[in-house]
Structures are given as C-alpha cells and as structure tokens.
Amino acid sequence: MSNQEEQKLVQKSIPGTMNREQRFAKVEHAENTGETLKRIAVYFGKERGTVCGMLAVVLLGTLCGIYAPSLQSKAIDIIAGERTGRLTQTLFLMLLVYLFYCISGLLQGLFSAKLSQSVVKRMREELFGKFVDLPVRYMDTHSHGDVMSRMTNDIENISTTVSQSLPSLFSGVLTIVGTMAIMLWYCWQLALLSLFTVLLTVAATKILSGRVRKFSRKRQMLLGQLNGTVEEMISGYTTVVAYNRQNITTENFCSTADSLTKAGIKTDIFSGVMGPVMNCIGNIGFVIIAAFGGYFSIHGLISVGIISAFIVYAKQFSRPINEIAQVYGQLQTAIAGAERVFVILDEKNEDGSGENATIGENASVHFKDVCFSYDGGKPVIQHFSLTVPAGKKVALVGATGSGKTTMVNLLMRFYDIDSGEICINEQNIKDMKREELRKNIAIVLQDTVLFSDTLRSNLKYGKENATEEELENAVAMSHCSDLLRHLPKGYDTVLTGAGSNISQGQRQLIAIARAFVADPKILIFDEATSNVDTRTEKAIQTAMQKIMQGRTSIVIAHRLSTIRDSDLIVVMDHGKIIESGTHEALLEQKGKYYELYRTQYSGFAT
C-alpha cells in the first residue's frame, strides 16, 4: 500500500482528524496532469449550464467585493467634505452591493453543490458500470480495498474539489487581479508598499504550513499505529492474555501514545501560531497603510476615504493568495484521484463476443489437452484431458494447489485457456458468449455468497422470473423448509450482513436452493461442505444428491466421504491427472487416492 493510500485509510478510520490538519496533508500528484484535466473537462462540458451559472455568480460576487470598498471610500470622503455627492444614495448603493455579494455567495454554494454532485454521480455510474464488466482476472489481481477506495475516497476528493476548491480558485484569481488593478489606479505608491505585507504573509504561510504538514503527517501515522494497537488488543485479547503479553502491549501502547502526544503538541503549536502571525502581519500592513496613507493624504496625493479603502483591499488581496495555496494541494490530490479512476475506466471489458450457446438437456463437458498459466510463466494446468458425460457426476480431488478450482474457472471462462479446447456437446466454449455459457452453469462455492436482500431475492438471483412453485420446490429439495419456518417473515426475511443472521450450513443450503431455482444444465460444487460440521454436511450432501440427479455435475472436495458415489473420481497433482476411476477401483490401485483416503481415515488433515 502506498503512503498516500495509507494516509487516506488512517484519516478515514479516525474521527475528528480531518480538520485543520487536512489542509496540510501530503499532496498526491498525477503522472499526466494535462491529459487528466482534459478528461475531467469532458464531464464539466456535460454540465455547461451549471458551470456557466457558477462562473457568473462567482464573477458577480468578486466584482461586488471589489466595488464595495470604493463606495465606502466615497462615503467617507463625502462625510469628510473632500468629495461632493449624496451620502444617502451612496450608502444605499453600498447596501445593494453587499446584498448582491451575499446572494452571490449563496448561489455560488448552490451551483457548486449541484455541479459537484452531477459530475460525481456521472463518474460513479461509469465506474460502477465498468466494475461489472471487468474481467475476473482484474479483480483477482488487484486489491479489493484499492478498487473500492477509487469509488469512495478518490471520487469524494473530486467532489470536494469541485464544490469548494474550484469556486475559491476562480474567485481568488479574479479578486487578486481586480484588487491589484484598483489599488494601482488609486495610488500606485501605496499599492507597492502594501505588497510588502503580502510577501510577508506568503513567506509566513509557507514556513508555518511546512511545519504543520510535517508534524500532522507524523501525527496521522502515529494515530494509525495507535488505532491498530488498540484494534489488535481487542480482537486478539484472548491470545494476549494467554501469552501474558499485557505488560509488553501496554508499554508499546504508551510509547506510541507519548510520541503521538509530542507530535500533537507541535502540530497544535504551529497551527495555533498561524492565526496570530497572520493577524500580526495584517496589523503591520494596516500601520504601513495608515502611516504612509496619512503622509500621502497630507500632501494631497490621496483622500482619507482611499486610505480606508486600501485597508480593506490589503486584507482582501492577501486572503485569496492563502486560499489558492491551499486549493493547489486539493487540486493536485483530486487530479491524482481522477487519474486513478480513469485507469480503471480505461481497462478492457470482458470479451462479450461469441455465438449464443445452444445446449440441450444432455450436456457433456470435454477438456481436450488443456494448458493454462495465470501469468504466462509457470503452467498451472498441463495437458489436461477429461470427459464429463451428460448426466454423470465427476469428482476432482487432490492436494491444495493441484489445479482443481482452476479447471472450474476455465470452464466458466473466468480465464481463457492458453491452448487446447473446452467443449460442451462438441461446441467450443470460446465460440460462445460468456453470458449465454454462464446461464447454463450454476456454482455452489466453499465461501457462500449471499446478498443483503430478502431470501426470495437471493433464491431468484440466477432466475429472476422464477415462480413461487419453483421456489417452494427448490426449498423442499434442498432441505431449507425448516429454515424457512423459523424465519420471521418467510421468503421476505432480509438476510442482513450477507447472511450473517443465519448459520454457515444454512447459507450453504440456500446456495444449493438457489442453484436449484436456476435449473442449470451443468452443476459445479467447489468444496461446498468444507466449512460445516458432520451433521450439517449430511444434510447438504442429501440436498446435493437431489439437485445433481440427471444433471452433469463436477464436484471438488477434500472430504473424500462426500464423493464416494461419484461416477468418476479424478485425482490431480500439479495440474495433471495422475489417477482416475471409481472409489473402489482407486482404492484397489493403492496409489495417490488410496494415500489420501487412508490419511483422512486415520484422522489427519490432507
């Protein structure tokens, strides 16, 4: 995990840390900023109306902010008798300008929020649409946490930048240009003197923000370590106590806590000093303007009103400089996040080409001299040839890593083979559409996947138009009737936490019932009973036997007792078939299968 991603996770996991230190967090930089900005601009182009509206109100607000001090200067000069005019009219106009300034601020927030959510909504939809079309290989070779982070953290950074940073950037640039222009127009000498305090502000901000960034980074890292220590202590409390590690764990915690305290104090000191230093520099600026402004006023170069305007303009000029410095970091982080999102959007979709699969009631599967490797290097499957006759049950057994699950992945076309052929009824699966191929195959996995939805929706996952009669038949055949009776709302009971409110065995039975509802031509059971007790295993085996009747079935199992009745047992080792036959025939051979069976019979794990 990169330092940037680690810091994001730390910030996300610790409430209350994303406040003033967030401004000085480590900035991520995109590798190709120009190209990324062009792609982001496409999303803004689809929201032209909102963008134009936001720019219009930003421009209106900036002009009002620049014009208001001039009116204030005029009103003071009228009161001082240095200028002629109607004071009431000037004050009324100043009131209107400030009113428009406030309204533009409200409208700016409205347009920014709308633009932000519209752009992010479009990005999220495209990214999620991409997720469902990505090849299985991509998901298997990339960190799920990193992929999810792109959907959440990276897009959230873009949202924050669009809603907050962009308006500040536009407004800041316009304010700097407009304020400097009007200050030079009023009195160029006093304008140049005012720049001295601006330079002091920039220098102080750079020095202090560097210190805050350094110590806040350290603080975030230590907070993450402290959080991890506490989490490990709580989750592994029994182990800690069993090995008498309480004192050592406490010492480690206190050591980290001490370092965190020191880093926190330094962070708070430097970030706390920032405000007073800025105020001090601002007051120095006011003194300079008052002193030199008074001198220029005595000599008739400027009026008293212009001095008051300069005091406002000097403050107005330094504020956007600080904002732009902060916005720059946010923009870089957002652009880097957008680049990470675009990396996924540029990935190739799973190939959906091919012909519609025409698989009859009797589906036989043929593996013909199949070779495969995941990375193009070391072969995982070597010259594998096997025929699974229609309506028969074939079991694949072997040690972990022998290639059993890989064969299932190849049959489902989660991966494409390097050489050879896989056919269903002599029709090469490479010529079939993946979607059509998978409609005819159902899988029951070792780690059952259920969704946080009703039992009805989970059962109909493989066949949306299933009737109530089909659901009831599937439930009865898979021995789920007792489970259904105990659920408070029957089929409409919501399986919370992907089935966490029911047992592992019950989840397996529901998965078998789901496969029943799908009514596939080919069934695959991948270690479907490995995580349950012996009693539940018998119930699952009974359900499996009923669903496999008359269907072509491939069973992967470590527990050899579950596949004794198979029509054919295939023993695999390092991607090759080393033995095949019935249970009795393989025992008589006294080969690898015999060793596996004896090991399990003796009570040792394989």
Side-chain angles (χ1 to χ4, degrees), residues 195-456:
L195 281 177
F196 173 72
T197 58
V198 173
L199 295 175
L200 279 179
T201 301
V202 173
T205 301
K206 184 175 181 181
I207 294 170
L208 292 175
S209 63
R211 299 292 186 278
V212 174
R213 187 181 300 113
K214 173 185 174 182
F215 291 114
S216 64
R217 244 186 252 151
K218 186 176 180 180
R219 182 183 184 180
Q220 297 293 83
M221 181 191 69
L222 291 169
L223 274 170
Q225 290 181 7
L226 201 69
N227 228 28
T229 301
V230 174
E231 183 182 356
E232 286 183 356
M233 175 63 183
I234 294 172
S235 60
Y237 181 74
T238 304
T239 304
V240 173
V241 174
Y243 284 92
N244 294 316
R245 302 283 292 185
Q246 298 97 315
N247 292 335
I248 296 175
T249 304
T250 303
E251 288 175 6
N252 292 337
F253 176 87
C254 291
S255 175
T256 305
D258 289 342
S259 300
L260 174 62
T261 301
K262 293 175 183 177
I265 290 172
K266 291 178 181 178
T267 302
D268 290 340
I269 287 173
F270 284 107
S271 51
V273 164
M274 182 81 72
V277 169
M278 294 299 110
N279 287 334
C280 181
I281 294 173
N283 291 332
I284 292 173
F286 295 153
V287 172
I288 291 173
I289 292 171
F292 285 93
Y295 176 80
F296 293 150
S297 178
I298 292 171
H299 288 78
L301 291 176
I302 57 175
S303 66
V304 176
I306 290 178
I307 296 175
S308 70
F310 255 89
I311 291 174
V312 177
Y313 283 132
K315 184 177 181 181
Q316 203 167 263
F317 187 79
S318 59
R319 177 181 54 80
I321 291 177
N322 293 329
E323 288 183 354
I324 289 174
Q326 295 166 16
V327 165
Y328 174 78
Q330 294 175 3
L331 281 174
Q332 288 296 326
T333 300
I335 293 170
E339 189 174 61
R340 281 163 48 82
V341 171
F342 293 145
V343 165
I344 293 185
L345 291 177
D346 291 339
E347 287 289 331
K348 289 184 178 180
N349 288 346
E350 188 175 50
D351 184 12
S353 62
E355 302 172 358
N356 290 332
T358 306
I359 301 176
E361 291 299 321
N362 299 317
S364 58
V365 180
H366 307 275
F367 296 92
K368 302 177 181 179
D369 197 30
V370 173
C371 295
F372 173 75
S373 64
Y374 283 102
D375 55 4
K378 183 179 178 180
V380 179
I381 302 298
Q382 305 179 58
H383 305 288
F384 185 93
S385 296
L386 173 69
T387 295
V388 183
K392 299 297 183 179
K393 174 184 174 182
V394 173
L396 302 180
V397 300
T400 300
S402 59
K404 306 183 297 297
T405 300
T406 298
M407 296 310 304
V408 172
N409 290 336
L410 298 178
L411 176 59
M412 293 291 294
R413 288 198 68 190
F414 293 153
Y415 294 84
D416 283 328
I417 60 177
D418 297 335
S419 63
E421 287 184 355
I422 301 177
C423 299
I424 298 178
N425 291 344
E426 302 304 326
Q427 186 177 4
N428 195 323
I429 63 172
K430 268 195 171 182
D431 299 328
M432 301 179 186
K433 287 184 178 179
R434 281 180 166 88
E435 181 182 357
E436 293 295 324
L437 169 67
R438 293 167 187 168
K439 279 182 180 179
N440 293 281
I441 303 175
I443 300 182
V444 179
L445 298 170
Q446 172 182 357
D447 297 320
T448 304
V449 177
L450 299 178
F451 300 93
S452 298
D453 204 339
T454 62
L455 175 61
R456 186 190 309 277

Side-chain angles (χ1 to χ4, degrees), residues 6-60:
E6 182 178 346
Q7 186 176 1
K8 283 183 182 178
L9 291 175
V10 169
Q11 290 174 336
K12 188 175 180 183
S13 63
I14 306 167
T17 61
M18 305 250 322
N19 41 46
R20 61 188 174 193
E21 288 84 5
Q22 185 184 24
R23 297 179 301 167
F24 308 106
K26 188 174 182 180
V27 176
E28 293 182 80
H29 293 274
E31 294 181 3
N32 193 341
T33 302
E35 188 63 31
T36 304
L37 285 174
K38 288 180 183 178
R39 296 188 64 171
I40 294 175
V42 173
Y43 290 92
F44 286 95
K46 295 175 182 178
E47 305 292 337
R48 292 187 186 90
T50 307
V51 172
C52 292
M54 186 185 74
L55 292 178
V57 296
V58 168
L59 180 60
L60 174 64

Side-chain angles (χ1 to χ4, degrees), residues 536-590:
T536 305
E537 179 186 350
K538 290 181 178 179
I540 293 175
Q541 276 186 277
T542 304
M544 287 170 58
Q545 289 171 357
K546 289 183 179 179
I547 190 176
M548 285 189 291
Q549 286 178 1
R551 287 189 172 90
T552 306
S553 305
I554 299 175
V555 180
I556 297 173
H558 273 121
R559 294 185 184 178
L560 304 184
S561 59
T562 63
I563 47 95
R564 294 178 61 173
D565 62 337
S566 298
D567 298 297
L568 178 67
I569 297 174
V570 175
V571 184
M572 296 183 63
D573 187 41
H574 294 92
K576 297 179 180 178
I577 297 176
I578 57 174
E579 290 178 357
S580 63
T582 62
H583 173 73
E584 291 77 13
L586 289 173
L587 288 180
E588 289 178 3
Q589 291 180 20
K590 294 190 177 181

